[in-house]
Amino acid sequence: MSYKDKKIRVSNYKTTVKIPMSQEVSYVYFVPGLAADESIFEFIKLPKDRFVTQTIPWKIPFEKESIASYAKRMCAEIKHENCILIGVSFGGVMIQEMSKYLNVSKLVIISSVKNRDELPARMKIARKTKAYKLVPTGLFSKVENWEKFAFGEFARKRAALYQKYLSVNDKKYLDWAIEQMVCWDQEVAPKGLIHIHGDKDVVFPIANIKDCITVDNGTHAMIIYRARWFNKYLPEIIEDNLQ
């Protein structure tokens, strides 16, 4: 069964994974979203008898470092040939860049984009006008407790979540990462890439996304809020047609 060009509906989808008795474990490397740390994967539990997982943390970029140079430095964390790379949001962009310098068996991007055409209009405009340079990223590193600046119970809860998961708040990193995301210039996605996307994603609207596995009611943060979906279906998505 191929998942490409197909919507998966949780209500009627049934897994049919067949694991050979002699199969070795697969090594999976996760890359989080922009400004996020490894905690965004805290609820993702892949079967330990089939997968060994590790998260690659973000690094502070060098002065005027290219995304290619940065990707090569991220590759230094990879210790296994023919591994599986899974990236969320900007992490999805990063693993595509990393795959240019590695032998990987599968790429899976979540809540991300495959090429510059899938970027939303506001990012395309920001690229042309260089408006991304006006984002006050310094505020992220100066606010020690976001909850103090939130009003109302919902806002306080959301601020607490941001503080928990978006902990990579170095201004140099944020300025660099936002520019790389907005100005990403890839035209053709890596062959065999698997794209999982939520139909309620407001960062990268589904209307701009082609050839993906669609998660009903999935938001940009569904790696956290829809962890049960991923725990149920991600093993099969990874192992289906694994090279």
Side-chain angles (χ1 to χ4, degrees), residues 1 26 33 61 86 97 101 110 121 124 129 134 136-137 141 144 149 157 169 173 178 191 199 202 208 215 217 225 236:
M1 176 185 293
S26 297
I86 300 178
E97 292 294 323
Y101 311 104
I110 299 168
K124 294 177 181 178
T129 63
L134 302 178
T137 53
S141 58
E144 296 181 355
F149 295 84
K157 289 181 179 179
N169 53 20
Y173 162 78
I178 290 172
K191 184 178 180 181
D199 63 1
V202 297
N208 300 325
V215 179
N217 297 312
Y225 299 113
E236 180 181 0

Side-chain angles (χ1 to χ4, degrees), residues 89-141:
S89 192
F90 181 55
V93 168
M94 185 53 60
I95 66 167
Q96 292 176 73
E97 292 294 323
M98 292 169 63
S99 71
K100 297 174 183 178
Y101 311 104
L102 297 168
N103 291 320
V104 299
S105 60
K106 181 156 291 189
L107 290 175
V108 180
I109 65 172
I110 299 168
S111 306
S112 189
V113 294
K114 299 184 289 297
N115 54 60
R116 65 185 184 186
D117 292 333
E118 292 187 338
L119 291 172
R122 63 182 178 276
M123 288 191 182
K124 294 177 181 178
I125 293 172
R127 174 177 180 170
K128 290 182 178 180
T129 63
K130 298 190 183 299
Y132 59 86
K133 293 182 178 293
L134 302 178
V135 178
T137 53
L139 293 177
F140 291 98
S141 58

Side-chain angles (χ1 to χ4, degrees), residues 22-190:
S22 60
Q23 177 175 324
E24 298 180 356
V25 296
S26 297
Y27 292 92
V28 180
Y29 290 85
F30 290 101
V31 177
L34 194 154
D37 62 22
E38 63 183 11
S39 64
I40 71 166
F41 300 112
E42 64 178 330
F43 302 119
I44 302 301
K45 309 295 182 183
L46 300 181
K48 292 184 178 180
D49 60 330
R50 288 145 58 190
F51 303 98
V52 175
T53 63
Q54 179 178 330
T55 302
I56 303 178
W58 292 112
K59 303 175 183 294
I60 303 303
F62 298 143
E63 189 70 25
K64 297 182 179 179
E65 185 170 18
S66 68
I67 195 170
S69 171
Y70 190 95
K72 289 179 182 178
R73 290 203 290 132
M74 293 285 278
C75 289
E77 305 293 329
I78 304 295
K79 306 302 181 183
H80 304 90
E81 288 284 329
N82 298 314
C83 63
I84 298 157
L85 300 184
I86 300 178
V88 175
S89 192
F90 181 55
V93 168
M94 185 53 60
I95 66 167
Q96 292 176 73
E97 292 294 323
M98 292 169 63
S99 71
K100 297 174 183 178
Y101 311 104
L102 297 168
N103 291 320
V104 299
S105 60
K106 181 156 291 189
L107 290 175
V108 180
I109 65 172
I110 299 168
S111 306
S112 189
V113 294
K114 299 184 289 297
N115 54 60
R116 65 185 184 186
D117 292 333
E118 292 187 338
L119 291 172
R122 63 182 178 276
M123 288 191 182
K124 294 177 181 178
I125 293 172
R127 174 177 180 170
K128 290 182 178 180
T129 63
K130 298 190 183 299
Y132 59 86
K133 293 182 178 293
L134 302 178
V135 178
T137 53
L139 293 177
F140 291 98
S141 58
K142 293 178 181 178
V143 177
E144 296 181 355
N145 190 340
W146 289 17
E147 294 172 273
K148 295 178 182 179
F149 295 84
F151 298 92
E153 182 179 359
F154 177 80
R156 284 194 294 271
K157 289 181 179 179
R158 183 59 59 90
L161 288 174
Y162 287 164
Q163 185 180 25
K164 176 180 180 180
Y165 295 114
L166 304 182
S167 65
V168 186
N169 53 20
D170 180 89
K171 184 180 186 304
K172 186 175 182 180
Y173 162 78
L174 291 172
D175 287 342
W176 178 87
I178 290 172
E179 179 174 6
Q180 300 307 315
M181 182 71 257
V182 172
C183 298
W184 195 46
D185 205 34
Q186 177 164 281
E187 295 182 354
V188 180

